[in-house]
Amino acid sequence: MLDVRRMQVLRAVITSGSISAAARNLGYTPSAVSQQLSVLEREAGLILLERAGRGVRPTAAGMLLSEHAEVVSTQLAKAEAALADLREGRTGRLAIRYFATAGAALVPPAVAALRREYPGIQVDLKLVEPDDPLPEVESGDADVAIVVFPRSKPPAKGVELVHLLDDPYRAVLPRAHPLARRRVLDLADLADETWVGNEWPPGPCRDVMLNACGAAGFAPNFVVESEDYQTAQGFVAAGLGVSLIPVLALGSPHPGVAVRRVRHPEPVRVIHAAIAARARDQPAVRSLLAAMRRES
């Protein structure tokens, strides 16, 4: 099998015109260059150089190998540059999974910032809802997932959590509701109300709300279930009940609702980026997380 390094030595000799000149250019001794050429001739099974005055000139076989050495060297240089880009995070693929309200508020501007800084990165974005995006990172199908904590069990080994923001819940009431006259409500003030659910099937965001209500001494009486926060606001505006909605999910509140702070306790969902261990040191991932923190 032909050795690429020896082919490059041959090309240096041919372009330099002599073994001694090539040795100077390469930083070798003339005997080391001659030895490399002898081995290459044995590998090729043909004479590669012949004497020409004080120098050498290539045979047909030598010229052929020299031309291929140039092609191989060019491709190796391209491969090394591509590897350097991949190593430095300038190219590659980044798979990001997210839930709907994070997709609306956090993900788009962060990905736009990422693309400006790393235009060679191929971004694979997917909304995962109502399912949980975390398992896609745990299984290796994604590099980053935007997830809500606390939850019943920690992530699998090899997944790192990075805190992005705390997203407090707000009470959403029909605009004409008597409690809407107050700026801040105790959560227990809502104990006897009918409630509009806003996450179906139930998941971590609903658990945050239920746990807070439990700490305030009651369980919500859900009379309507909806699958998203905007629909829930419509039901509240129609007077069917009250709801708790995270600030990040409020968007532009429905004109028929009043939004009020709650306390004792204030429910808060904690939003993290779950990062696969293989991706946590990638510059593009660090850039993405920094952009999300700025947006939050």
Side-chain angles (χ1 to χ4, degrees), residues 161-184:
L161 294 177
V162 175
H163 176 261
L164 296 177
L165 74 151
D166 294 338
D167 190 19
Y169 285 64
R170 296 290 183 255
V172 180
L173 316 166
R175 182 162 291 279
H177 195 287
L179 290 174
R181 293 194 292 268
R182 295 162 55 180
R183 295 181 61 186
V184 182

Side-chain angles (χ1 to χ4, degrees), residues 41-81:
E41 285 187 334
R42 289 199 298 272
E43 293 174 343
L46 292 168
I47 300 299
L48 303 177
L49 296 169
E50 57 187 14
R51 291 285 179 185
R54 294 186 177 183
V56 293
R57 64 186 176 195
T59 64
M63 183 59 69
L64 178 67
L65 282 188
S66 177
E67 291 171 353
H68 280 285
E70 180 181 11
V71 173
V72 171
S73 297
T74 300
Q75 293 302 316
L76 282 174
K78 290 181 178 178
E80 289 172 353

